[in-house]
Amino acid sequence: MSYIIDRRLNGKHKSTVNRQRFLDRYRRHIREAVNDAVGRRSIQDMEQGERITIPQKDLSEPIFHHGSGGRRNVVHPGNKEFQQGDRVKKPSGGEGGAGGQQAGDSGDGEDEFAFQIDPREFLNFLFEDLELPNLVKRHLEGARSFHLRHGGIVSHGIPAKVNIVRSMRQASMRRRALSAASRKRLRALKAEHEELLQQDQSPQRRERLAELEEQIAKLQRRLERIPFLDEVDLRYNHHVKVPRPVSRAVMFCIMDVSGSMNQDMKDLAKRFFLLLYLFLQRNYEHTEVVFIRHHTSAKEVTEEEFFYSRETGGTIVSSALKLTLDIIKERYPVDEWNLYGAQASDGDNWNDDSPGCASLLEKELLPRMQHFSYVEVMPRSHQALWDQYQGVMERNGDFFSMAQIDAPGDIYPVFRQLFRKRMEAV
Amino acid sequence: MTVTESKLLSTGSDWDFETLDRYDRAIAGLAHGKYGLDTYPNQIEVISSEQMMDAYSSVGMPVGYNHWSFGKQFVEVEGRYRRGQMGLAYEIVINSNPCIAYLMEENTITMQALVIAHASYGHNSFFKGNYLFKTWTDASAIIDYLVFARHYIAECEQRHGVAAVEEILDSCHALMNYGVDRYKRPTPISAMEEKRRQREREEVLRQQVSELWKTFPDLRPATQRREPNFRYPAEPQENLLYFLEKNAPLLEPWQRELIRIVRKMAQYFYPQRQTKVMNEGWATFWHYTLLHDLYDNGQVSDGFMLEFLQNHSQVIYQPPFDSPYYSGINPYALGFAMFTDIRRICERPTDEDRLWFPDIAGSDWLATLKFAMESFKDESFIQQFLSPRLIREFKLFSLFDDNERDYIEIDAIHDERGYKIIRNKLSEQYNLSIQEPNIQVYDADVRGDRSLTLQHIRQHHRPLDEKSSREVLRHLYRLWGFEVHLESVDNGTVVERLSIPDL
């Protein structure tokens, strides 16, 4: 008798746990591959999976097996020309030999083991061990989102929430307390009764016995009248509504688009912003991005414009910082939003503007922001802006960081350095 | 059955559950009725290709415990499948009662019929009939045991951490091939009993330290005065995992239990490793025979048959040794050819066959075939039934390689002088105890530094692969907890010695 069963609707991902274990085990290799990938990728496909290769030797599951050498016999099919007693010169290179196939296995054919990880896993590895600096402000969004939390035990409530264990415990305590005196007395009377029964019976004693029996019966009736469960015993689980804080973040991307920034530099800057954006998205339920670009004057633009259109002109960095400040004041109340700023520039600025930038940043922006990072995409000596910002960093190390990026390969290391988990923060 | 109407079981290549059922009945009718195959009840499960990949990567166990190596297998299979380098196997069949076979939903009805005949009647009857499976595996208990193992390991992971469990399993997997009793026969026990015994073992171990390490000097003066060359174990032990489970000094009860679980798995798969050629040959022979019968009865169409034959001939293709596709002898090809050949010898024996197989030439082919299936494993099956005709057909030849000579000798080909040599050599090639290095526990220094010494007895002077041996020794060291030595013995003298930790 056969049973034919349709199992197609059963779970498909029986191997997920095993797969995860495997990924955990080869974390180091995967991290390397991910690091490589970040430098290689264009902006659009940052959020894709990645092909990972691991050298076969690192994956080995060793077993005892024969090595080369000794005497061995192998039978193969498909003889064409050999006669018994023929001798064939061994292929040079040691290994070879009759066990042609086995030699292949044990030889140094160092195959690579390749597989795909999906986008989510890719980002997990990408941002592993990274964390956003500084405290996270959470905005209480009152009635719109809350969750129920256990709020202790109360003596009033609806039947559905009766806490049976606690109620029974209460009842047991009450019964014991109310009956304690009677039970003690009952024990004494019973003992006396018992004792009298053992002795010879006289009228006096008989009278006493009857008296005792009556008292015992009375006491027992009293004990029975104590209710097993009373209304006062009932205890109820209590739940309270706790508003769920919602964390929101806004990120200001500030990029210099002046004539001195060529396409390569902009590309570097964009990659950096993109990483930061992906990272913020993972950390906050709700992330907004404000794109600001500037040459001599700053302008808020759309993502499309920000990344893909071109402009030229001189450079006044402070214009962008001012615009940022205005937008914060106008749209993002500091007590409701987590604010992050990232600025990318080639460091070119009108010299008398730089000190202004530093003080604007330090006095107005940093106190409002969670963190501000500055990257300079320029493989050459620094200018006034860098020096000024360096001063800012010395005074506000926790809220400000800066780094230099020369080539696409630098972006990810710099990014990691900026956001690595800070132990002292824990 | 009405004669005027078409007897075809199906038309077109699509299938549904009714068609599957019709085919199953038709095939079952032939297998049980005409040929008298004895099978477990069948449970045929239709699954998707993703589920097939899952099943694939858990070594065909329907419920497996969690381990990274299965994950590795999964990503490997998944990747190859996605890139189209590999078709998934058409079927996976599990030696259990009822016998579970998986069909993939993507396959055509021809393939489904092939798989039903192959797995649900071919493999199934092999599992039920072959002596190795009968003695070594308990088809009705295996699923329960797997469930028990999975739960137990999950529980250990919770209690002791995933990493700690994984370590032990890694080490056990490395020694899995040495977790088999080759000669002792187990007695089958139920899963409930297994669970009870496990608790009992744990309890006993908790209460007392292993007898082996009780070396209080004053309590047992007699044992102190034993012969100085007293050795433990008294006889070398081939089942390394069993020895470790019972004797490793520092393992916790749960760790011993993990070793035991891996050991049981190894034991369960041991018959399969010894009967690849027979098992596949038998199943292939029956799908070929059964589907041809369907065709002869007019129950399947010409188109069905062509598709079937194309698949069948792919399965049994044996590339010659110099072909780029050659990767050893194809067990399907050899097994199928041998069973077909036995039938031929019974039905139409030649003079040569009468000389070589006087017992079976001209006998009842079905009885002979069943006898062959029931009473042999690959090694002895080849030794017994490989005919000169097949050796000629496969053009088998034997190479002899001695590392002391700079040439390879062809010591036998498919001719009169070579038949017997080739048969012996080929049979030896399927003998696991020759193919796997012979390694046994030789000495556990229980009164001294507690070091463990293994001996590898070299056959044909073949050494061990040093790199992997060192790795395995490291695993062994993890389980044993004290120094581990591996001596390689050739002609009675120790020629090589590996030690972990390396001194």
Side-chain angles (χ1 to χ4, degrees):
Chain A
M1 183 58 210
S2 303
Y3 303 93
I4 300 178
I5 302 173
D6 187 358
R7 289 260 192 237
R8 285 172 296 180
L9 295 178
N10 281 22
K12 282 174 188 159
H13 303 294
K14 259 177 158 178
S15 301
T16 316
V17 179
N18 290 333
R19 184 187 154 90
Q20 202 50 51
R21 298 253 167 106
F22 172 72
L23 292 185
D24 284 348
R25 192 176 172 99
Y26 293 98
R27 190 158 282 276
R28 185 173 59 82
H29 296 277
I30 298 172
R31 272 277 287 285
E32 272 167 25
V34 168
N35 290 2
D36 283 355
V38 178
R40 259 195 343 263
R41 289 186 169 194
S42 70
I43 291 167
Q44 280 88 351
D45 64 7
M46 194 61 101
E47 239 179 308
Q48 276 176 9
E50 174 64 13
R51 191 181 144 85
I52 307 286
T53 52
I54 298 175
Q56 196 68 263
K57 66 170 165 35
D58 292 348
L59 283 169
S60 74
E61 296 170 71
I63 51 166
F64 283 125
H65 62 83
H66 285 124
S68 58
R71 293 185 199 139
R72 68 182 77 197
N73 256 295
V74 193
V75 176
H76 291 294
N79 180 20
K80 295 195 179 78
E81 57 201 22
F82 297 133
Q83 291 297 326
Q84 183 175 4
D86 279 0
R87 291 174 176 188
V88 184
K89 194 114 177 77
K90 277 189 200 174
S92 52
E95 280 294 290
Q101 295 307 316
Q102 281 134 314
D105 300 344
S106 55
D108 45 11
E110 213 145 272
D111 267 354
E112 300 230 300
F113 182 86
F115 61 97
Q116 285 276 339
I117 56 174
D118 66 29
R120 211 165 34 88
E121 287 167 337
F122 178 77
L123 290 181
N124 278 343
F125 280 106
L126 192 63
F127 296 122
E128 197 183 51
D129 298 333
L130 295 185
E131 121 188 311
L132 276 174
N134 304 324
L135 297 170
V136 182
K137 268 180 270 180
R138 286 173 191 280
H139 172 57
L140 296 185
E141 275 204 296
R144 259 197 295 153
S145 101
F146 58 85
H147 62 120
L148 285 176
R149 217 175 54 193
H150 190 55
I153 305 287
V154 292
S155 51
H156 297 282
I158 55 170
K161 286 192 175 179
V162 167
N163 185 322
I164 294 171
V165 174
R166 290 292 287 264
S167 301
M168 295 317 274
R169 193 198 292 170
Q170 209 68 29
S172 158
M173 270 153 48
R174 178 184 49 78
R175 287 199 310 269
R176 273 161 199 284
L178 288 182
S179 65
S182 311
R183 276 184 294 126
K184 194 174 175 188
R185 179 134 176 73
L186 187 63
R187 270 201 304 278
L189 291 176
K190 273 188 173 164
E192 194 186 339
H193 186 255
E194 201 62 23
E195 202 180 325
L196 278 177
L197 273 181
Q198 302 299 324
Q199 295 166 7
D200 297 336
Q201 301 296 315
S202 67
Q204 263 177 338
R205 281 181 183 152
R206 225 168 270 141
E207 199 176 311
R208 177 66 184 151
L209 266 179
E211 196 180 320
L212 279 175
E213 270 159 21
E214 190 189 339
Q215 281 180 354
I216 288 174
K218 202 171 150 197
L219 271 177
Q220 270 169 341
R221 276 200 303 281
R222 177 181 294 173
L223 281 174
E224 275 160 18
R225 274 204 304 276
I226 297 175
F228 180 74
L229 191 65
D230 201 350
E231 201 140 315
V232 294
D233 300 331
L234 292 181
R235 291 295 178 270
Y236 300 87
N237 290 327
H238 186 53
H239 290 96
V240 286
K241 280 181 178 179
V242 182
R244 197 196 299 272
V246 175
S247 52
R248 299 190 290 189
V250 57
M251 174 177 148
F252 293 90
C253 296
I254 304 167
M255 182 163 66
D256 181 359
V257 289
S258 63
S260 56
M261 285 280 279
N262 61 30
Q263 198 53 45
D264 287 348
M265 295 177 185
K266 277 190 210 166
D267 202 48
L268 286 181
K270 285 171 200 168
R271 280 164 181 260
F272 181 79
F273 286 134
L274 199 83
L275 269 184
L276 191 57
Y277 179 58
L278 290 175
F279 185 48
L280 283 177
Q281 261 190 331
R282 288 168 49 84
N283 275 277
Y284 290 99
E285 286 142 60
H286 182 75
T287 313
E288 283 186 18
V289 187
V290 176
F291 296 102
I292 296 171
R293 55 178 205 174
H294 69 92
H295 35 94
T296 47
S297 67
K299 189 175 160 202
E300 185 182 352
V301 294
T302 62
E303 183 177 347
E304 188 66 17
E305 263 182 284
F306 183 75
F307 283 127
Y308 300 108
S309 78
R310 308 195 51 162
E311 260 187 71
T312 52
T315 318
I316 299 179
V317 174
S318 64
S319 65
L321 299 180
K322 276 199 194 94
L323 181 61
T324 309
L325 185 61
D326 291 343
I327 293 174
I328 292 176
K329 281 180 178 162
E330 190 185 320
R331 303 210 303 255
Y332 300 104
V334 177
D335 51 347
E336 288 180 22
W337 290 84
N338 295 290
L339 301 146
Y340 292 88
Q343 181 187 7
S345 153
D346 60 354
D348 242 358
N349 196 8
W350 283 6
N351 269 343
D352 45 352
D353 185 44
S354 294
C357 286
S359 73
L360 186 62
L361 190 65
E362 205 172 348
K363 296 216 171 68
E364 297 288 342
L365 285 177
L366 284 183
R368 291 186 163 82
M369 288 188 142
Q370 249 55 41
H371 190 257
F372 192 95
S373 49
Y374 171 68
V375 287
E376 197 160 300
V377 278
M378 192 58 209
R380 65 168 189 200
S381 61
H382 302 297
Q383 299 191 15
L385 192 61
W386 179 273
D387 299 334
Q388 288 291 337
Y389 275 1
Q390 205 121 42
V392 177
M393 182 154 84
E394 273 159 28
R395 292 185 290 272
N396 306 284
D398 280 353
F399 301 96
F400 185 83
S401 54
M402 57 197 285
Q404 187 187 5
I405 295 174
D406 295 339
D410 291 348
I411 295 177
Y412 187 55
V414 164
F415 185 81
R416 290 199 74 86
Q417 180 208 326
L418 292 181
F419 293 103
R420 71 175 183 280
K421 261 191 188 145
R422 286 150 212 244
M423 279 312 165
E424 64 272 72
V426 178
Chain B
M1 204 176 280
T2 55
V3 187
T4 46
E5 294 211 343
S6 164
K7 289 195 289 181
L8 289 183
L9 293 170
S10 69
T11 51
S13 63
D14 292 339
W15 60 269
D16 55 30
F17 285 91
E18 272 168 41
T19 341
L20 282 188
D21 194 43
R22 272 205 300 281
Y23 273 96
D24 178 63
R25 278 168 206 275
I27 293 171
L30 288 169
H32 292 150
K34 186 170 173 191
Y35 297 110
L37 293 182
D38 185 19
T39 61
Y40 294 118
N42 276 306
Q43 181 170 325
I44 299 169
E45 305 195 353
V46 180
I47 59 176
S48 64
S49 56
E50 284 99 334
Q51 289 169 318
M52 192 57 137
M53 283 191 281
D54 284 337
Y56 225 85
S57 45
S58 51
V59 244
M61 292 184 289
V63 254
Y65 51 84
N66 288 323
H67 189 255
W68 67 269
S69 61
F70 303 138
K72 170 186 157 192
Q73 220 160 349
F74 178 77
V75 291
E76 195 173 14
V77 169
E78 190 188 24
R80 289 200 352 235
Y81 180 65
R82 285 224 177 116
R83 271 173 279 138
Q85 282 176 4
M86 181 185 95
L88 288 174
Y90 301 124
E91 42 90 19
I92 287 182
V93 55
I94 291 156
N95 168 24
S96 62
N97 180 10
C99 177
I100 302 173
Y102 296 122
L103 302 186
M104 252 201 316
E105 66 169 337
E106 284 89 341
N107 287 339
T108 61
I109 184 63
T110 310
M111 290 311 300
Q112 309 290 33
L114 190 157
V115 171
I116 291 177
H118 182 91
S120 303
Y121 296 91
H123 282 307
N124 188 347
S125 57
F126 193 86
F127 290 147
K128 194 163 181 191
N130 184 269
Y131 83 104
L132 278 179
F133 286 88
K134 273 188 184 163
T135 31
W136 289 112
T137 65
D138 181 5
S140 55
I142 183 63
I143 302 283
D144 284 350
Y145 187 76
L146 290 174
V147 171
F148 157 77
R150 184 189 167 93
H151 286 306
Y152 188 81
I153 289 180
E155 202 182 295
C156 285
E157 282 172 352
Q158 283 193 348
R159 265 202 271 170
H160 309 284
V162 173
V165 172
E166 192 170 278
E167 262 188 2
I168 299 291
L169 286 180
D170 281 355
S171 299
C172 293
H173 285 183
L175 294 165
M176 200 159 175
N177 289 348
Y178 293 85
V180 179
D181 287 320
R182 282 167 218 262
Y183 305 108
K184 260 190 295 182
R185 301 277 155 98
T187 45
I189 53 169
S190 73
M192 285 294 290
E193 175 70 5
E194 187 69 44
K195 200 162 191 169
R196 195 188 59 73
R197 284 199 194 174
Q198 177 263 319
R199 275 199 219 103
E200 204 176 273
R201 280 195 297 276
E202 193 164 335
E203 205 47 46
V204 168
L205 273 170
R206 216 204 313 263
Q207 283 165 3
Q208 61 173 44
V209 186
S210 171
E211 200 60 32
L212 178 55
W213 306 107
K214 265 193 187 159
T215 49
F216 302 114
D218 297 328
L219 285 177
R220 306 154 137 223
T223 55
Q224 286 291 295
R225 284 194 294 275
R226 284 220 193 161
E227 297 289 299
N229 61 359
F230 159 78
R231 219 179 64 211
Y232 187 89
E235 298 281 329
Q237 301 278 314
E238 59 165 5
N239 192 336
L240 303 191
L241 284 182
Y242 181 81
F243 184 83
L244 289 169
E245 180 196 332
K246 298 299 176 199
N247 296 314
L250 299 180
L251 292 183
E252 303 278 338
W254 63 272
Q255 292 172 317
R256 290 179 208 275
E257 196 61 34
L258 293 189
I259 299 182
R260 190 180 164 80
I261 286 172
V262 175
R263 199 163 65 74
K264 291 269 162 185
M265 298 288 153
Q267 194 79 63
Y268 172 73
F269 286 115
Y270 187 56
Q272 312 217 354
R273 288 167 54 217
Q274 291 187 94
T275 53
K276 254 184 217 149
V277 170
M278 284 182 76
N279 202 343
E280 293 304 349
W282 176 259
T284 309
F285 176 83
W286 283 111
H287 79 229
Y288 183 81
T289 309
L290 291 171
L291 292 192
H292 268 280
D293 279 4
L294 286 184
Y295 181 66
D296 291 344
N297 293 344
Q299 286 172 299
V300 296
S301 64
D302 292 345
F304 177 100
M305 229 30 208
L306 280 176
E307 189 187 345
F308 158 68
L309 283 174
Q310 193 213 350
N311 275 298
H312 174 74
S313 47
Q314 267 171 18
V315 168
I316 60 158
Y317 175 61
Q318 172 66 64
F321 77 101
D322 51 358
S323 150
Y325 303 109
Y326 179 66
S327 60
I329 292 175
N330 177 355
Y332 291 83
L334 182 62
F336 176 70
M338 284 185 68
F339 278 112
T340 317
D341 196 49
I342 295 174
R343 181 175 181 175
R344 183 195 58 78
I345 293 172
C346 294
E347 288 181 333
R348 297 181 304 279
T350 61
D351 290 344
E352 184 187 45
D353 295 326
R354 287 188 204 286
L355 186 66
W356 281 71
F357 303 102
D359 291 349
I360 63 167
S363 67
D364 172 31
W365 71 269
L366 190 57
T368 309
L369 227 62
K370 281 186 187 167
F371 165 75
M373 176 273 277
E374 281 164 9
S375 331
F376 295 90
K377 54 183 171 179
D378 283 350
E379 174 206 354
S380 50
F381 179 63
I382 289 169
Q383 186 70 269
Q384 193 71 24
F385 293 109
L386 187 69
S387 70
R389 186 192 163 109
L390 269 194
I391 296 178
R392 287 195 300 272
E393 223 167 73
F394 274 84
K395 296 193 170 61
L396 296 176
F397 65 104
S398 163
L399 293 176
F400 178 68
D401 178 18
D402 184 344
N403 67 334
E404 282 163 16
R405 302 190 211 156
D406 60 350
Y407 58 84
I408 297 164
E409 190 174 326
I410 286 110
D411 61 354
I413 63 162
H414 54 286
D415 63 7
E416 206 60 51
R417 282 178 299 168
Y419 294 145
K420 281 207 167 133
I421 304 178
I422 285 184
R423 196 160 77 172
N424 282 341
K425 303 287 183 202
L426 189 63
S427 146
E428 208 169 271
Q429 207 158 306
Y430 287 96
N431 184 347
L432 282 186
S433 52
I434 292 183
Q435 288 313 305
E436 284 174 357
N438 173 9
I439 295 172
Q440 308 202 342
V441 177
Y442 179 70
D443 185 20
D445 188 2
V446 292
R447 283 163 213 292
D449 58 3
R450 293 186 173 185
S451 66
L452 179 72
T453 307
L454 306 182
Q455 275 199 346
H456 166 230
I457 313 290
R458 289 195 183 184
Q459 286 153 317
H460 306 304
H461 310 292
R462 294 175 71 179
L464 283 174
D465 180 67
E466 194 191 316
K467 222 180 109 213
S468 61
S469 302
R470 202 171 275 283
E471 292 288 313
V472 181
L473 277 196
R474 250 177 230 131
H475 284 298
L476 197 63
Y477 172 67
R478 182 187 284 162
L479 296 176
W480 182 250
F482 295 91
E483 260 173 62
V484 177
H485 310 287
L486 173 63
E487 294 173 347
S488 208
V489 179
D490 201 356
N491 276 336
T493 51
V494 176
V495 289
E496 213 183 326
R497 198 175 151 93
L498 279 177
S499 295
I500 298 288
D502 217 342
L503 302 175

